Amino acid sequence: TGICSKPTMAPSGSPSWRLLMACTAAATAMAAPHHHAHTDWDPWTCKADLLPIFCDSNQPINARVAELVAKMTDSEKVAQIGSNTAPSIDRLGIPAYQWWGEAQHGVCESESVHFRPPTPVGTSFPEPGLTAATFDKELFSLVGEVIGSEGRAMANAGNAGLTFWAPNINLVRDPRWGRLLETPGEDPLLTSEYAMRFVKGMQGVDPSGRGYLRVAATPKHYAGYSLDNWHGMDRYHYDGNITKQDWADTYSQPFQAAIVGGNASGLMCSYNANRFSGYPSGGIPSCADPNLLTKIAREDFGFDGYITGDCGAAEDVWTTHGFGGNASGAASVSIRAGMDVDCGDFVLQHALAALETGQLTRAELDVAVAHLFRVRVRLGYFDPRQSTPWGNASYRASRDLN
């Protein structure tokens, strides 16, 4: 992941970069008004005749989201959490949304990202392993800032969503791991610093103080995910045995830094299972583990955002790990544990059955739906685009760094 597929231009030589391999954006025009590809209406506005509280930006965010969730049917709720490709809710004026965008070392062609006029190219930085090797804390922030600025500019132009599944902050435990260049490296301290600064740079600080996000960073893969294919054990079946000290000293630190220090608004749970010290039985899949997703992330770290499963991870809870009793049970335990949206369609296929059989309650479903729409509201969707802090974002931020 994280390989941009479109051509870029080399930057001018400047000591401020301290990197030799960066490519910089060629687009300089202000972003054009947003036109969402999946609906006929502008997603930066809202149908106040249908949702008067939800569409009122002066209302508290919880009140706004509560009105919307209360008016949604069970099928509409499941459709929102059941796949990364969320459909529109036409009768309420809610546009479709694509949650999957990539931006490991630059905004990259992915499910929500399309390089086309007026944003035909983007900055491609070196792999995170090389950026982290500079030990330049300011640079970590600046790289995130450029990526966030370009992501917002592309969204304003209708060429991207605003949720980006980056950074990858898993620790390198073996140099033979195939994804090590995607990460900042092996050191928990350096990786934590990178995670915090990259996330803060991406998401920005709302000058209005109203809590808007420039984009939503989504650190991954949570947690204990540093194995791909080793002696017959792959990342889908891996069952990590993590001691309390290993968790505290290594595996938790980058995610804690991204959440506590960086205020990350997204999080991706991983394919593998973990058997933490104190668990009464075998490993629990990350995306079905309430200790990981709710107790540690939300209660201990104070996470306030959405949690997506890695692509196919919700299905793996049942088909790979055999967890949940049956397919609908696996979907329900993942939602109950704290996963809010499935990258795939497993939850879409089985959540309604879980609701009908009592494996999942409507209140548990509502929590996941609310988490998703809280993030979309914080991104400025459903408000007039020009009224949000980054409504006119362009590619100039990247040029200013040259």
Side-chain angles (χ1 to χ4, degrees):
T1 74
I3 304 298
C4 287
S5 61
K6 293 294 181 179
T8 53
M9 296 179 62
S12 59
S14 169
S16 68
W17 276 104
R18 297 176 295 277
L19 285 174
L20 300 177
M21 299 170 61
C23 296
T24 192
T28 59
M30 297 297 286
H34 183 101
H35 299 289
H36 201 287
H38 301 287
T39 58
D40 295 327
W41 57 81
D42 186 343
W44 303 96
T45 58
C46 200
K47 294 187 178 296
D49 57 325
L50 301 175
L51 297 164
I53 298 174
F54 181 70
C55 296
D56 185 353
S57 61
N58 293 316
Q59 293 289 331
I61 188 171
N62 287 342
R64 296 180 66 180
V65 172
E67 182 193 44
L68 172 62
V69 173
K71 292 188 176 184
M72 293 170 64
T73 66
D74 290 342
S75 295
E76 288 167 344
K77 294 172 185 176
V78 168
Q80 292 299 307
I81 72 166
S83 169
N84 52 286
T85 304
S88 62
I89 307 174
D90 293 356
R91 68 181 189 86
L92 296 176
I94 301 298
Y97 186 72
Q98 175 57 251
W99 289 92
W100 184 356
E102 296 286 354
Q104 288 301 321
H105 56 92
V107 179
C108 294
E109 187 86 24
S110 45
E111 294 298 304
S112 73
V113 177
H114 307 286
F115 290 101
R116 58 196 176 198
T119 58
V121 293
T123 306
S124 181
F125 293 97
E127 290 276 7
L130 296 176
T131 301
T134 66
F135 292 89
D136 188 330
K137 297 177 181 179
E138 180 186 2
L139 185 63
F140 304 164
S141 299
L142 293 175
V143 169
E145 182 180 343
V146 172
I147 292 171
S149 296
E150 293 185 356
R152 171 59 75 154
M154 293 190 72
N156 288 347
N159 290 340
L162 285 171
T163 43
F164 293 98
W165 294 354
N168 182 342
I169 51 176
N170 295 123
L171 295 172
V172 175
R173 310 310 291 162
D174 188 306
R176 293 166 293 187
W177 183 36
R179 301 182 70 173
L180 75 169
L181 282 178
E182 272 187 63
T183 79
E186 64 184 359
D187 180 64
L189 180 61
L190 178 63
T191 301
S192 297
E193 193 72 33
Y194 180 96
M196 177 189 70
R197 292 178 178 272
F198 184 92
V199 167
K200 289 182 73 173
M202 277 189 72
Q203 296 190 158
V205 177
D206 178 6
S208 72
R210 300 174 65 190
Y212 284 111
L213 299 164
R214 175 162 48 205
V215 300
T218 308
K220 60 186 184 183
H221 310 80
Y222 183 69
Y225 179 81
S226 298
L227 182 147
D228 216 291
N229 194 344
W230 179 249
H231 287 265
M233 180 58 65
D234 61 34
R235 57 181 172 163
Y236 306 105
H237 296 80
Y238 176 56
D239 186 351
N241 188 4
I242 301 177
T243 67
K244 290 182 179 179
Q245 182 165 351
D246 282 343
W247 175 252
D249 289 348
T250 57
Y251 294 106
S252 71
Q253 284 196 20
F255 291 97
Q256 183 173 3
I259 294 169
V260 177
N263 294 314
S265 53
L267 190 63
M268 177 185 284
C269 53
S270 54
Y271 295 117
N272 60 289
N274 289 298
R275 50 178 75 226
F276 291 99
S277 298
Y279 275 21
S281 58
I284 300 176
S286 296
C287 291
D289 190 343
N291 183 56
L292 265 183
L293 305 186
T294 298
K295 172 63 172 64
I296 295 175
R298 292 195 184 275
E299 296 176 10
D300 295 350
F301 295 167
F303 176 67
D304 179 18
Y306 80 102
I307 298 177
T308 178
D310 202 344
C311 295
E315 182 174 4
D316 282 350
V317 168
W318 171 240
T319 59
T320 300
H321 297 286
F323 196 80
N326 55 32
S328 57
S332 66
V333 296
S334 297
I335 298 166
R336 186 180 306 114
M339 190 192 76
D340 301 311
V341 63
D342 179 10
C343 179
D345 62 3
F346 182 78
V347 170
L348 184 65
Q349 294 179 39
H350 299 290
L352 268 180
L355 196 64
E356 292 167 356
T357 58
Q359 293 171 298
L360 179 70
T361 68
R362 185 168 289 106
E364 291 165 342
L365 177 62
D366 287 354
V367 168
V369 176
H371 286 158
L372 297 179
F373 279 100
R374 274 181 58 85
V375 170
R376 289 176 69 175
V377 170
R378 291 171 65 196
L379 287 165
Y381 288 117
F382 315 113
D383 295 339
R385 183 168 65 86
Q386 301 297 335
S387 71
T388 62
W390 295 282
N392 285 316
S394 74
Y395 278 6
R396 286 181 182 164
S398 63
R399 295 178 61 83
D400 289 344
L401 292 177
N402 288 339

